[in-house]
Amino acid sequence: MNFKWFGPIALLAALVIGDQIRINRPAHKYRLSVDVETPDGRKSASGVVAVHPDRSYTRRGQTRTVGDAIFVDLGQGKNLVALLAHVDNNLVLDDVNYVALRAYTSAAGKRVSFDEMSRLTGVVPVKDTLIPVLVTFTDPAKPGTARRIAPDDAEAVLGSGYRIQGISAEVVPNGYWPVDFGGALGEPVTRGIQAKLPWLGDAGNSAAAALRAAGLPGVDGMDAREAFTRK
């Protein structure tokens, strides 16, 4: 067997693998946590999302987020979902890319750069316009039962005794794609929203119907599922 090409082929393979890791590794990951005060005490849920800059060769320069919306089971048949979306006149899907960055900047009182995010520590509050769209489903199996929740007046939709106690962000270990699946290897992205909202697997317009039922503007012309899940 002729081994003269083994070294160059191994080097090429290492370069290709290294480049794929560079391209696909997130710039940072953060855990978004939602705490809700209920008549039965505090209910909480959180999820890890990954923020990816465009490191490929397309030169599009687009940053994207990978992960799922957060589903908080409030008990007594009630729930709250923090979407991967914000509202600025119309529904905006891209602002979720910068929630942690802007929250850490606000907490520090000075500009935090995108490149240093993966090295930051601590939990910071997510407030005001950084808070994602919050909705609830009277029946999670029916997208048309969605209702929007105002962060400062959850009682208006959920009833007496329900209050958003706090929303926070925390940078978590990045790991190295594709082995970032826990522990020292990095926090994995959280999945599971489709198990809570089974209609997300439909090929139709169920996600858009949910957003419209919640009274969210500018739903037409976008991939409505991206308000709930991103790959």
Side-chain angles (χ1 to χ4, degrees):
M1 183 175 179
N2 191 339
F3 290 95
K4 71 176 182 178
W5 296 110
F6 179 80
I9 292 174
L11 177 60
L12 179 61
L15 290 173
V16 170
I17 292 170
D19 194 46
Q20 287 302 303
I21 292 173
R22 178 190 68 83
I23 290 172
N24 291 285
R25 189 188 186 203
H28 64 271
K29 297 177 181 176
Y30 69 91
R31 177 181 289 107
L32 190 69
S33 300
V34 182
D35 296 318
V36 183
E37 191 66 38
T38 79
D40 297 325
R42 181 183 298 185
K43 306 291 183 179
S44 303
S46 64
V48 172
V49 298
V51 180
H52 294 254
D54 183 4
R55 299 192 186 98
S56 66
Y57 304 104
T58 63
R59 298 187 181 275
R60 294 176 182 173
Q62 295 177 335
T63 299
R64 63 188 178 92
T65 289
V66 174
D68 279 3
I70 300 168
F71 186 100
V72 189
D73 187 343
L74 302 177
Q76 300 187 30
K78 298 188 178 184
N79 57 79
L80 179 145
V81 181
L83 300 181
L84 303 175
H86 294 74
V87 170
D88 182 8
N89 294 324
N90 288 316
L91 198 65
V92 178
L93 298 178
D94 289 341
D95 282 3
V96 69
N97 301 331
Y98 309 105
V99 166
L101 173 67
R102 291 166 179 167
Y104 275 89
T105 293
S106 178
K110 61 179 181 180
R111 183 180 179 276
V112 174
S113 74
F114 193 84
D115 290 339
E116 68 181 297
M117 281 294 297
S118 63
R119 301 188 296 274
L120 298 182
T121 59
V123 179
V124 294
V126 173
K127 302 183 293 185
D128 303 326
T129 59
L130 294 183
I131 296 175
V133 174
L134 306 176
V135 300
T136 187
F137 291 87
T138 304
D139 182 349
K142 298 179 180 178
T145 66
R147 300 292 180 268
R148 187 177 178 183
I149 296 174
D152 58 352
D153 190 14
E155 286 188 324
V157 176
L158 294 174
S160 179
Y162 291 88
R163 183 173 66 87
I164 310 299
Q165 192 159 33
I167 301 176
S168 62
E170 177 187 14
V171 170
V172 299
N174 224 2
Y176 288 90
W177 178 90
V179 294
D180 49 346
F181 42 71
L185 296 175
E187 291 280 348
V189 167
T190 304
R191 296 297 186 182
I193 191 64
Q194 189 167 321
K196 303 293 186 180
L197 306 174
W199 40 265
L200 278 173
D202 296 347
N205 296 317
S206 296
L211 299 179
R212 292 191 188 98
L216 297 171
V219 176
D220 295 335
M222 67 169 57
D223 183 353
R225 290 186 78 253
E226 290 198 344
F228 298 90
T229 183
R230 312 242 186 123
K231 295 181 179 180

